[in-house]
Amino acid sequence: MNKLKQIVLHAIIWIAIVLYFMYNNGRTEYSTIVNFVYFGIVNISLFYINYLFILPTFLNRKKYLWCALSIFFVVMIFSFIKCGLAYYFYDIVIKRGGSKVVIDFWYYYSSAVFVSCFFILLSTVLKFIQDWFLNEKVKSNLENENLIAELAFLKSQINPHFLFNSLNNIYSLAYQKSEKTPEAILKLSEIMRYMLYESNEDKVELSNEIRYLENYIELQKLRFKDNIYIKFEINGDLLGLMITPLVLISFVENAFKHGIATDSENPISISLNLTDGKLLFHVSNIKSSMNKDITGGIGLQNVQRRLSLIYKDRYRLQIDDTNDIYNCELYLNL
């Protein structure tokens, strides 16, 4: 809330309070104006001296003794001011509108101190509440900034990681002098175009993300020539569904890097099932003892961290990693 809005809100609240007590008293004559306007101005002034000057000057700087002493002297001074007003309007305040009952000075002074302390307490509580909300807002903004920075860092790791693996694949094709090398380079350029431009958004269409997976699989097929066995199934309606980009690719990459893609009896299995905006992504493969990744699985660690940051309690990841088989099942509430 900016300062102008805050000032207007405070003014409306104080005017409403004063008017409420004035008219709730059932009278609007001069005595009522004296009691609720003049003394109201004194109490409101006391409120803001504590709220705007004493607390920010001493309490925020942890000068507790000076804060207590300042409040004490301000309460004493304002209570004397109230007594001065009371004797100025002697017949209205001290004699209660001309009645025979006269209020004792020290009794009135102690009452003035009590009321002053109430407004000090009220301003202090408001200050604490405001500071708490402000601190929570700053903390939330800081957490969001840290989250954005971490996600940006995690996402920046995907491109080099993926590019490194893909270039290795194309290198093997070029080393074999394969005629499919140009096609592989074209597929890689399409994939990199998606990663550099389309995936910059927080969410992308699920159909585009699947197309990206298909391009990656086609690139792998070029690498293995005709000796690759993979089953890729999609069930359900993709229309209108959005997903965080580059979340699914790590599991598919892992299947090709650590799995056996040339076993016709045990093909790499990838399935994607959609039901009422909920996605179930499953990848399974037979593990190869020959394919060991010296990087230590950066891709999977990366994607698990991204899932926990973005989807929080809207995802479930189950990985069964045995000596022979690797199964991965990811549930996402899109």
Side-chain angles (χ1 to χ4, degrees), residues 13 67 108 149 153 174 203 213 245 267 286 317 334:
I13 291 173
C67 183
Y108 185 84
F153 173 72
K203 294 288 181 69
L213 296 181
I286 301 296
L317 178 62
L334 301 176

Side-chain angles (χ1 to χ4, degrees), residues 60-74:
N60 289 358
R61 298 177 184 178
K62 297 183 179 181
K63 296 181 178 180
Y64 303 118
L65 178 60
W66 283 103
C67 183
L69 289 174
S70 299
I71 290 174
F72 174 78
F73 283 113
V74 166

Side-chain angles (χ1 to χ4, degrees), residues 86-190:
Y87 276 88
Y88 183 80
F89 299 103
Y90 186 87
D91 291 335
I92 296 174
V93 180
I94 301 299
K95 294 188 66 175
R96 295 292 188 185
S99 67
K100 294 181 180 180
V101 179
V102 178
I103 301 175
D104 178 71
F105 172 83
W106 291 110
Y107 175 82
Y108 185 84
Y109 183 77
S110 61
S111 299
V113 169
F114 176 80
V115 173
S116 297
C117 288
F118 171 78
F119 279 89
I120 288 290
L121 177 63
L122 189 64
S123 60
T124 303
V125 170
L126 179 62
K127 181 65 175 175
F128 272 103
I129 292 173
Q130 185 182 41
D131 287 350
W132 184 84
F133 276 107
L134 181 61
N135 290 335
E136 286 297 308
K137 184 178 180 180
V138 170
K139 182 180 177 182
S140 177
N141 289 339
L142 184 60
E143 288 176 351
N144 288 336
E145 288 175 5
N146 290 338
L147 175 62
I148 291 170
E150 183 175 358
L151 286 172
F153 173 72
L154 291 172
K155 193 172 180 181
S156 71
Q157 290 183 312
I158 296 173
N159 291 0
H161 182 72
F162 172 79
L163 182 60
F164 175 78
N165 293 327
S166 298
L167 287 175
N168 272 345
N169 297 339
I170 294 176
Y171 170 79
S172 66
L173 289 175
Y175 183 80
Q176 298 167 16
K177 298 181 180 179
S178 171
E179 295 178 355
K180 295 182 178 180
T181 303
E183 185 180 351
I185 294 174
L186 181 62
K187 285 292 181 185
L188 179 59
S189 69
E190 291 178 359

Side-chain angles (χ1 to χ4, degrees), residues 11-116:
I12 292 173
I13 291 173
W14 285 120
I15 292 171
I17 291 173
V18 171
L19 291 177
Y20 171 79
F21 282 105
M22 283 180 63
Y23 287 98
N24 193 52
N25 193 47
R27 298 179 298 170
T28 57
E29 61 265 22
Y30 184 65
S31 62
T32 305
I33 295 174
V34 169
N35 285 318
F36 290 104
V37 177
Y38 293 162
F39 287 93
I41 291 173
V42 173
N43 288 324
I44 293 170
S45 300
L46 177 63
F47 177 97
Y48 284 108
I49 286 174
N50 184 54
Y51 179 76
L52 296 176
F53 298 104
I54 295 177
L55 295 179
T57 302
F58 299 113
L59 191 62
N60 289 358
R61 298 177 184 178
K62 297 183 179 181
K63 296 181 178 180
Y64 303 118
L65 178 60
W66 283 103
C67 183
L69 289 174
S70 299
I71 290 174
F72 174 78
F73 283 113
V74 166
V75 168
M76 296 299 104
I77 292 169
F78 270 75
S79 297
F80 274 111
I81 291 173
K82 291 178 183 178
C83 287
L85 281 173
Y87 276 88
Y88 183 80
F89 299 103
Y90 186 87
D91 291 335
I92 296 174
V93 180
I94 301 299
K95 294 188 66 175
R96 295 292 188 185
S99 67
K100 294 181 180 180
V101 179
V102 178
I103 301 175
D104 178 71
F105 172 83
W106 291 110
Y107 175 82
Y108 185 84
Y109 183 77
S110 61
S111 299
V113 169
F114 176 80
V115 173
S116 297

